[in-house]
Amino acid sequence: RRATLRPAKSQSRVAEPGASDRTRYGSIQEERPIQMPRPDDMPPDCASVLAFYYPGRPSPCDLLCRAEFLGNFYLQDELNHIAIRVPSDRFRPRWFSTAEAAYQALKFWKLADDFCDMTGQEAFEYSRKLAREGTAPDAMFAGFDGQWNAMREIVKVKFSGYTSLGSRLKATK
């Protein structure tokens, strides 16, 4: 099975402001998952791939693959906020509405409460504002020893087995 994004009938026409993503990007045929040639020589020859982006709203690949929940800007419902516990204060978790808000908060942990209910875009912009105003970001990400480990912790919590997003991730097999 293949997933295809069919181009809009008129590529030269610009969609009106407020037009739906389906109008702007054409029709979508729902045939998941996409089979892509693997970049290595490991079997199988093809791997199933889900594309996602979700910059605060569904993008064409999100509509195509229905995997927007994998994006860092995806807004968690209240029951699935991301609980982050930093190594220096394991007994006081902070709850974040997006993975992006959690990530940005780890750079400015003393201000973490400010990030808790922000969208991904708001958290990204607030982080930039703090840096512009002279607040130095923490290169150690509140004790996680860098951005890689910080993001790994966020993703681990976001997709833990008992959450609805963990179940959705498992369903992408």
Side-chain angles (χ1 to χ4, degrees):
R1 295 183 352 161
R2 302 185 82 110
T4 56
L5 178 61
R6 298 216 187 271
K9 291 190 191 244
S10 172
Q11 292 293 341
S12 60
R13 218 173 109 203
V14 176
E16 298 296 317
S20 74
D21 286 334
R22 282 195 190 275
T23 302
R24 193 173 306 136
Y25 299 112
S27 65
I28 292 175
Q29 292 192 348
E30 213 170 291
E31 301 174 35
R32 324 178 334 164
I34 299 168
Q35 294 292 313
M36 300 280 294
R38 287 183 57 126
D40 55 27
D41 58 0
M42 300 293 292
D45 293 342
C46 286
S48 296
V49 176
L50 290 175
F52 65 93
Y53 177 48
Y54 199 78
R57 66 193 175 290
S59 67
C61 64
D62 296 318
L63 295 171
L64 179 65
C65 295
R66 294 178 299 156
E68 68 281 350
F69 67 96
L70 297 172
N72 289 346
F73 283 43
Y74 185 76
L75 193 62
Q76 313 288 117
D77 62 50
E78 275 190 43
L79 296 175
N80 289 301
H81 277 194
I82 301 166
I84 299 297
R85 301 171 196 271
V86 298
S88 63
D89 190 8
R90 286 276 180 209
F91 299 106
R92 187 167 180 239
R94 302 299 198 299
W95 299 82
F96 299 96
S97 58
T98 65
E100 185 67 21
Y103 179 80
Q104 297 299 336
L106 287 171
K107 295 194 286 187
F108 301 97
W109 194 251
K110 290 179 183 174
L111 300 171
D113 292 333
D114 293 351
F115 289 89
C116 289
D117 293 319
M118 290 183 177
T119 65
Q121 189 64 40
E122 291 167 342
F124 179 79
E125 289 171 5
Y126 184 56
S127 174
R128 299 286 178 200
K129 178 182 178 243
L130 290 172
R132 273 193 318 271
E133 292 174 350
T135 305
D138 176 9
M140 299 306 286
F141 284 76
F144 284 105
D145 200 27
Q147 63 186 6
W148 181 263
N149 290 331
M151 196 55 164
R152 184 176 181 170
E153 179 66 17
I154 293 165
V155 170
K156 183 175 84 174
V157 172
K158 180 178 176 179
F159 297 111
S160 62
Y162 59 88
T163 66
S164 63
L165 294 185
S167 299
R168 287 180 72 184
L169 179 62
K170 288 178 185 172
T172 64
K173 290 183 184 176

